[in-house]
Amino acid sequence: MADDETTRAARLLDAQAKAVRLFAEIEKRGLVAPGQGERAVSDRVRDLANELFGTTRHWHKRIVRSGPNTLAPYKENPPDRVIGADDIVFADFGPIFEEYEADFGRTFVLGDDPVKRRLRDDLPKVFAAGKRFFESHPDITGKALYAEVERLADGLGWELGGWHAGHLVGEFPHEKIDGADTESYITPANDTPLRRTDKARRHCHWILEIHLVDSEHGFGGFYEELLTL
């Protein structure tokens, strides 16, 4: 029997709490460091998730990107790159905890570059403002939320790096996300309300993801977590 809505929400929040702990441990152990290859860091994070939680599955590809690779949207697969001493790096992981999906992303800055630090610090601000906008508009659509996130980014001098700003999340495997299925994404083509039920009449839960880029300086940053809980 499927979990009730209260249990589903609690388990999604628990999955995210584990992801928060995982990322805190990534920083504590200094896994994102100069001289490390992106794939090597990704593998160490995979192993760390297994060590901490017994997690062996991730519902989407594991992403660690640095420098110019941070400009690439999710679907691209830029070549492996060695992290530099004055670099910007983001990690995007989707570990599965007890059959529930987490989707969590954060940005790390190595060195003292003021533009990279400003980008890193603006990411949670855009996320928080986007979430407030979502919470204050009960009938908001994917199109409207994307437009607001784009407006917020532009106001801080950044561009959005992808064609969407988030997606459905839930039990693994959640309702299939297909590139042509715009109702599964926070995107300009999605005119449907985000607060709705899915085909199984369960409440839809969403991830809000913020990918900001600075085309002039050739780098970007990433931040994502649950929007609806």
Side-chain angles (χ1 to χ4, degrees):
M1 179 179 293
D3 291 329
D4 61 37
E5 292 293 357
T6 301
T7 303
R8 289 182 71 231
R11 294 186 72 180
L12 282 168
L13 285 169
D14 180 67
Q16 177 159 288
K18 288 182 170 70
V20 170
R21 184 181 164 197
L22 173 65
F23 272 66
E25 199 67 20
I26 290 169
E27 194 154 15
K28 179 180 177 182
R29 300 192 187 194
L31 298 189
V32 179
Q36 301 295 316
E38 294 166 339
R39 290 177 189 167
V41 173
S42 174
D43 288 346
R44 291 190 183 99
V45 174
R46 174 202 63 200
D47 295 343
L48 178 60
N50 188 19
E51 174 190 332
L52 294 175
F53 307 108
T55 299
T56 58
R57 293 183 297 161
H58 297 254
W59 71 269
H60 68 67
K61 66 183 180 181
R62 295 174 284 110
I63 292 176
V64 173
R65 291 180 180 164
S66 63
N69 287 354
T70 58
L71 295 172
Y74 172 82
K75 286 189 175 181
E76 293 185 15
N77 296 292
D80 190 30
R81 180 179 180 275
V82 174
I83 297 168
D86 190 30
D87 224 334
I88 188 166
V89 184
F90 74 71
D92 173 12
F93 284 80
I96 301 166
F97 300 107
E98 298 177 3
E99 301 307 315
Y100 275 77
E101 303 161 350
D103 202 4
F104 202 77
R106 289 294 188 268
T107 296
F108 307 86
V109 172
L110 309 177
D112 299 318
D113 185 288
V115 182
K116 292 173 183 172
R117 284 175 170 259
R118 184 170 71 85
L119 175 57
R120 177 201 60 195
D121 294 344
D122 281 349
L123 285 160
K125 295 176 185 176
V126 174
F127 180 95
K131 185 167 184 174
R132 288 194 298 269
F133 190 81
F134 169 82
E135 291 172 345
S136 64
H137 293 76
D139 299 321
I140 192 168
T141 64
K143 177 180 180 178
L145 184 53
Y146 182 94
E148 176 63 11
V149 171
E150 188 172 43
R151 185 191 71 80
L152 291 165
D154 183 68
L156 291 169
W158 312 113
E159 306 165 50
L160 289 188
W163 62 273
H164 70 87
H167 54 77
L168 289 170
V169 70
E171 298 91 334
F172 177 79
H174 68 260
E175 187 172 356
K176 182 181 178 182
I177 287 184
D178 186 297
D181 185 7
T182 56
E183 293 184 4
S184 296
Y185 292 91
I186 299 168
T187 185
N190 185 3
D191 281 319
T192 61
L194 297 179
R195 291 181 178 88
R196 64 175 195 266
T197 56
D198 62 19
K199 294 174 184 176
R201 298 185 178 179
R202 299 169 301 186
H203 293 312
C204 288
H205 289 293
W206 296 87
I207 290 290
L208 179 62
E209 61 179 69
I210 309 299
H211 183 197
L212 302 181
V213 301
D214 183 333
S215 298
E216 178 184 352
H217 293 93
F219 58 76
F222 191 77
Y223 189 102
E224 71 171 340
E225 60 182 74
L226 279 166
L227 168 68
T228 43
L229 294 169

